[in-house]
Amino acid sequence: MQTIIIQTITGSCHCNAVTFTVPKTLNDVRYCHCTTCRKLSGTSFSVVSLVNLEDFKLTKGEDNLVHYRSSPHKDRAHCKTCFAPIFAQLDTHPDDRRIRLGSLNEEPIVNITGHIWVSQKPDWSVINDDLPQFQEFE
């Protein structure tokens, strides 16, 4: 039997109290234009990826995570010191964690698959690519 070794990269909050690893190759990367991502990032969208729960390894700071329910079906975790978002977990995807690529310390290999929550995109934010656009999360 052949062993498959998955290369990983590190991520962290701003103050490095919370650190984690994820696979270097991220296959489901999307630009998210939802109001929550815009509020949490202070920008017009965030870049997010679903990572399998088994592949997301918290390496430091579990006791520094604060969880809250941001919507009826979503739990968010952030650092209680610097408030940086670490991950979100959707009830509809219990085997995945959604991370923001801005929290990664190294360059991942990405496959960007589209824009989500375009229905909440502000008019002043312009999409200038040919990627698929979804009104909500798909």
Side-chain angles (χ1 to χ4, degrees), residues 47-72:
V47 184
V48 298
S49 180
L50 287 177
V51 175
N52 189 283
L53 190 59
E54 291 179 6
D55 295 331
F56 177 93
K57 307 284 189 225
L58 198 59
T59 54
K60 182 174 84 172
E62 186 168 2
D63 58 338
N64 219 53
L65 286 179
V66 176
H67 294 262
Y68 72 99
R69 212 64 182 160
S70 63
S71 65

Side-chain angles (χ1 to χ4, degrees), residues 66-84:
V66 176
H67 294 262
Y68 72 99
R69 212 64 182 160
S70 63
S71 65
H73 304 289
K74 187 183 296 177
D75 177 74
R76 291 183 183 272
H78 67 271
C79 173
K80 70 180 180 183
T81 303
C82 67
F83 308 107

Side-chain angles (χ1 to χ4, degrees), residues 99-127:
I99 62 160
R100 294 166 184 265
L101 272 62
S103 66
L104 299 176
N105 300 326
E106 302 159 63
E107 287 290 324
I109 298 167
V110 300
N111 177 27
I112 300 173
T113 59
H115 297 264
I116 56 175
W117 287 105
V118 174
S119 62
Q120 294 182 7
K121 179 186 76 59
D123 291 339
W124 52 262
S125 179
V126 178
I127 296 173

